[in-house]
Amino acid sequence: ELMRESMATLEYARQADWQRAAVAIAAFLFIGIALSAVMIHYGVTKPSRQLMDQLARLGRGDLRTPIDAPRATTEIAGIAAEGEALRMSLADLIRDAAAGASSVSRSADKLSCTSEELRSQVDSQRSETDRVAAAMGQMDTSGQEVASNISRVSHAAGDADEAASELRRVVGETVDALKVLAGEVDES
């Protein structure tokens, strides 16, 4: 009977050891899963959200604020680096567009001056032609046709002058808008 009691005690001790081992394994698994969840949160999820917020800001037109590479996986840091390269390229593109718009504005000013000179010359020619036509009277129908053609050219020059003025105004507005945008980009 003593032997049975010893065997029962030994069996009870074995079962208790197995139960303690099972509890210890479950505790280690729980701790491992919890640590994995924390590492995934701080190593992947949180940096991904930070990067997503920064890219959304870029999508809304904020070219001044750099895109920081969050402390994360190599892939997320790589995406952040590419986002920063995109931001810098866009800023350069806008600066170049502003410079091009300034060049177009200067060209429009030159065109406007040229069309004003042309109009002045055409007006002068029309005046001279009118005097010659008045002096000659109605000597020849061809003289009237010349005056009519010069008048059409004068109107065309006037139309060209008006178009150049409108172009200068539109380009000026575009240049101003691009200068403001370039100023914001340069502030970054």
Side-chain angles (χ1 to χ4, degrees):
E1 173 127 355
L2 188 59
M3 188 131 157
R4 275 190 199 172
E5 285 181 22
S6 286
M7 292 287 272
T9 304
L10 187 60
E11 185 62 32
Y12 179 74
R14 265 193 238 158
Q15 285 180 355
D17 286 344
W18 278 106
Q19 287 176 350
R20 281 191 291 266
V23 168
I25 290 172
F28 284 127
L29 283 174
F30 177 76
I31 291 170
I33 291 171
L35 285 175
S36 294
V38 168
M39 289 174 60
I40 288 172
H41 174 73
Y42 287 104
V44 177
T45 305
K46 187 176 179 182
S48 294
R49 284 187 183 142
Q50 290 171 344
L51 179 59
M52 188 171 50
D53 291 342
Q54 292 180 46
L55 291 175
R57 188 184 63 239
L58 177 65
R60 289 188 302 270
D62 182 1
L63 298 176
R64 291 177 285 151
T65 308
I67 295 176
D68 298 323
R71 293 180 63 178
T73 63
T74 305
E75 292 80 9
I76 293 173
I79 293 170
E82 291 301 319
E84 175 62 10
L86 173 65
R87 182 193 68 83
M88 291 172 51
S89 293
L90 288 172
D92 290 343
L93 180 65
I94 289 173
R95 271 191 224 104
D96 291 347
S102 294
S103 175
V104 169
S105 176
R106 287 190 299 273
S107 296
D109 287 343
K110 288 179 184 177
L111 178 62
S112 176
C113 290
T114 302
S115 66
E116 288 173 10
E117 291 172 5
L118 177 63
R119 182 178 184 172
S120 173
Q121 289 175 358
V122 168
D123 286 344
S124 175
Q125 283 183 342
R126 182 177 55 183
S127 175
E128 290 296 319
T129 304
D130 287 345
R131 275 191 250 148
V132 169
M136 292 177 66
Q138 294 185 350
M139 184 174 138
D140 190 2
T141 305
S142 64
Q144 290 177 359
E145 289 177 7
V146 169
S148 175
N149 288 338
I150 289 175
S151 179
R152 280 194 298 263
V153 168
S154 175
H155 288 343
D159 291 344
D161 184 43
E162 288 175 16
S165 294
E166 179 63 21
L167 176 63
R168 184 179 37 229
R169 184 190 66 76
V170 169
V171 168
E173 290 175 1
T174 303
V175 167
D176 291 342
L178 286 173
K179 284 180 181 177
V180 167
L181 188 54
E184 289 179 5
V185 167
D186 287 336
E187 288 177 13
S188 66

